[in-house]
Amino acid sequence: KQFREPGCLLKHATIKADLMSFMSAGPYLFIFGGQAGISNHLEQIGKVPIPMPLLDALDNFRQHDFYTYRHSLTVFALTSFLMICNDTSGGVKKDALLVGPTHDLGKLLMPTEILHKKTPLSRQERKMLEFHPLAGYVLLCYYLGDHQHPAALVALNHHERSNGSGYPRGISRLDAIVEMVAACDVYDALISSRPYRKTNYDNRTALEELTGVAEAGGLNWRCVQTLVGRNR
């Protein structure tokens, strides 16, 4: 019970300041409607309770794998934004907000040499990396004490695709929240610098790529439409 006592995501260490910095860069500043929009969004999502071991994990990423740290927070911001944009129930549940910053938790168990590799991954390395959704699911089931928690299910399924082309299980029936995270995960990955990629995608090309995947049935079209619409 002790390790499940929650902290507050946006009050922990430098997370809020870092998140505001990430949201103020590149296309995100436009997506969120400028600095006023960023402040308004962070005020809307309010306090997000999160077990301390998961905050420790984010601290670990910040120190040893800054890409995953930044990516986790950016996907959190984008996903929570999509949730609010598409909400018809009068409010987004706090446990649902936890899906963004924890979706890549399984990368804690991945060798750092794979995460930081500057050349394309070998088949064996790719297979090892594709284990991170299952690893994240197991960790979150343990720390959240609930194998049906939205964050645990998103960690397990965020690389699955609606047309069955994803991993680790190749399933095609996905929850709406998984589809939101999947779209945001792909978008941020495309426009972000990666160790093995000389340059990141420009925003227009990333949106075209995202649209192509949605048209092929790999991503939820409504989620992609929302991201494209905010870029206009």
Side-chain angles (χ1 to χ4, degrees), residues 88-119:
T88 58
S89 62
V92 177
K93 295 180 179 179
K94 297 298 182 184
D95 61 348
L97 291 173
L98 194 56
V99 303
T102 60
H103 77 283
D104 266 342
L105 183 68
K107 287 186 177 179
L108 276 177
L109 303 184
M110 300 297 104
T112 54
E113 57 268 23
I114 289 181
L115 296 176
H116 298 162
K117 190 175 181 183
K118 295 182 178 180
T119 56

Side-chain angles (χ1 to χ4, degrees), residues 20 22-38 230:
M20 292 185 72
F22 302 150
M23 294 168 72
S24 299
Y28 295 118
L29 183 63
F30 188 79
I31 289 172
F32 288 98
Q35 293 297 339
I38 292 172
R230 292 302 305 181

